[in-house]
């Protein structure tokens, strides 16, 4: 009986093999890979698509001879084309300073990022707009710029371009005796800046303190990559232009010390 059972098993196995062999093997369809051109998603990417360099520095960046923006800072060359910054630092972020004001719903003034001015002509009032922008990569690069135009969008665009042309690299460190961790989270030493009636002092702070400053000052310090600092302000700080210029002047002193080394 055992031999008969084994023979049956062998027959069944042979039948299964025949059935498997009779099943037609369908080859997988070849997938056609279509190479699609990347569509620019931001205004900066669209500008880079149409960029034609006009300076020697721009041509070197466009051809790939310069791949790091720190090479430009070390050489002391001036950036004249904003596309250079867009090309070398694609992760650049920006903020607008609330320099304007308008009447609020319940009375008083409401802060807006564009300042509106009017001039009287024979044909009536003609309005112009100005904006103040801050750009930075939150890792030691910071720049500010102001632009004006008859249209709001053009004024903001001009301010962003000027901020990129004023870009600089600052040195960060841990100048607080309470922390002394050696990491780049604060300013390396006390620095001061002045613009108009506003005077600013940036003091090193230990880790965990954060940015002890007003909201507009935090925009500059955050984009510069400073995480902990004490800010002392004197004068008419309600004048936002002078306030931001004073902070930028203080950070510029760290830049001068870095280049002096």
């Amino acid at each position: 009986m055992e031999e008969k059972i084994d023979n049956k098993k062998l027959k069944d196995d042979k039948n299964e093999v025949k059935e498997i062999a009779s099943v037609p093997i369908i080859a997988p369809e070849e997938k056609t890979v279509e190479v699609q051109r990347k569509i620019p998603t931001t205004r900066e990417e669209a500008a880079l698509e149409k960029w034609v360099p006009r300076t020697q520095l721009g041509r070197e960046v466009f051809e790939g001879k310069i791949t790091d923006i720190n090479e430009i800072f070390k050489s002391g060359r001036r950036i004249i084309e904003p596309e250079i910054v867009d090309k070398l630092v694609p992760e650049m972020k920006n903020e607008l300073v609330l320099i304007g004001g308008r009447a609020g719903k319940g009375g008083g003034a409401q802060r807006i990022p564009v300042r509106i001015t009017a001039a009287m002509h024979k044909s009536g009032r003609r309005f112009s707009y100005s904006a103040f922008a801050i750009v930075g990569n939150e890792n030691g690069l910071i720049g500010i710029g102001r632009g004006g135009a008859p249209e709001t969008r053009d004024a903001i665009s001009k301010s962003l371009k000027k901020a990129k042309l004023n870009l600089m690299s600052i040195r960060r460190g841990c100048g607080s005796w309470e922390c002394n961790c050696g990491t780049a989270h604060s300013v390396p030493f006390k620095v001061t800046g002045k613009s108009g009636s506003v005077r600013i002092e940036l003091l090193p702070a230990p880790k965990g303190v954060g940015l002890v400053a007003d909201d507009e000052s935090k925009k500059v310090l955050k984009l510069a990559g400073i995480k902990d600092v004490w800010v002392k302000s004197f004068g008419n700080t309600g004048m936002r232009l002078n306030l931001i210029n004073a902070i930028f002047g203080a950070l510029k002193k760290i830049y001068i010390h870095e280049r002096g080394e």
Side-chain angles (χ1 to χ4, degrees), residues 68-233:
D68 190 359
I69 197 167
N70 290 318
E71 296 179 20
I72 302 175
F73 294 141
K74 289 179 181 178
S75 63
R77 302 170 73 177
R78 186 180 176 186
I79 299 175
I80 303 177
E81 300 178 78
E83 290 85 2
I84 294 175
V85 179
D86 296 333
K87 181 77 173 178
L88 298 178
V89 194
E91 67 276 8
M92 190 70 69
K93 300 178 182 179
N94 59 73
E95 289 279 357
L96 292 176
V97 183
L98 303 180
I99 60 174
R102 63 184 178 187
K105 291 183 179 179
Q110 180 185 3
R111 287 286 188 176
I112 58 175
V114 177
R115 175 176 289 181
I116 306 171
T117 55
M120 286 299 299
H121 293 266
K122 292 181 180 179
S123 57
R125 291 184 181 179
R126 293 186 183 176
F127 295 95
S128 60
Y129 306 87
S130 60
F132 196 74
I134 310 166
V135 297
N137 67 340
E138 297 183 355
N139 193 22
L141 294 179
I142 188 68
I144 61 173
R146 184 182 180 186
E151 297 293 335
T152 306
R153 182 178 296 180
D154 295 336
I156 295 174
S157 179
K158 281 186 178 180
S159 64
L160 289 172
K161 288 181 180 179
K162 288 185 178 180
K164 291 173 184 177
L165 298 182
N166 293 329
L167 196 70
M168 67 177 183
S169 176
I170 64 168
R171 186 180 69 178
R172 296 165 296 160
C174 180
S176 175
W177 59 271
E178 297 176 278
C179 184
N180 199 20
C181 63
T183 59
H185 67 95
S186 184
V187 291
F189 43 80
K190 175 184 174 181
V191 288
T192 61
K194 192 176 186 305
S195 178
S197 66
V198 180
R199 184 168 60 88
I200 292 292
E201 292 182 0
L202 302 181
L203 305 173
K207 273 189 175 181
V209 171
L211 301 176
V212 185
D214 63 289
D215 293 337
E216 298 303 310
S217 301
K218 285 180 180 178
K219 293 179 181 179
V220 187
L221 299 170
K222 184 180 178 181
L223 289 177
I226 297 174
K227 300 177 181 178
D228 305 285
V229 70
W230 278 304
V231 179
K232 284 186 178 181
S233 58

